[in-house]
Amino acid sequence: MSTQQATRIIDETSARVRDILLDAARLPAWNSAFLSIEDPGGTAADREFAIVVRPGLCGTWRYTMIEDERIGTAWNVPGFADTGSWQLRPHSTGRTPR
């Protein structure tokens, strides 16, 4: 098991960043590990989405928690499982660290 942490400052409101993170079908547009996520519409905690990751492995993606300032995630493909979370909070610059 390994743990990683990173911080990004995004010039956008927390609400806008949250909306983007909760649009599962758009995740492959900014995460190159994902080739596609099937989004039948609607987002809810513990709802599974079909995912294809590089190099073509199929599995599932889900939001484990959806709160105003925190979003938890988990995804699994054969031989690999990952959990993570995004914490959204305003930065003193008015931008949102992620």
Side-chain angles (χ1 to χ4, degrees):
M1 176 194 291
S2 68
T3 302
Q4 298 178 6
Q5 181 176 339
T7 299
R8 301 283 186 270
I9 296 176
I10 300 171
D11 191 12
E12 202 42 88
T13 65
S14 293
R16 178 68 180 128
V17 173
R18 183 179 183 278
D19 288 346
I20 291 168
L21 294 174
L22 292 176
D23 187 350
R26 291 183 58 198
L27 293 174
W30 55 268
N31 186 330
S32 62
F34 302 152
L35 295 175
S36 68
I37 296 180
E38 181 182 309
D39 184 1
T43 299
D46 291 325
R47 180 176 181 191
E48 289 193 347
F49 300 83
I51 188 171
V52 179
V53 302
R54 295 192 190 282
L57 299 173
C58 298
T60 59
W61 163 275
R62 67 186 172 96
Y63 293 99
T64 59
M65 148 192 348
I66 300 174
E67 298 175 351
D68 288 343
E69 294 185 358
R70 187 171 176 181
I71 299 170
T73 64
W75 56 284
N76 297 285
V77 295
F80 184 81
D82 184 57
T83 60
S85 65
W86 293 299
Q87 294 184 359
L88 307 172
R89 55 191 181 276
H91 189 267
S92 61
T93 64
R95 300 188 302 178
T96 305
R98 146 184 105 117

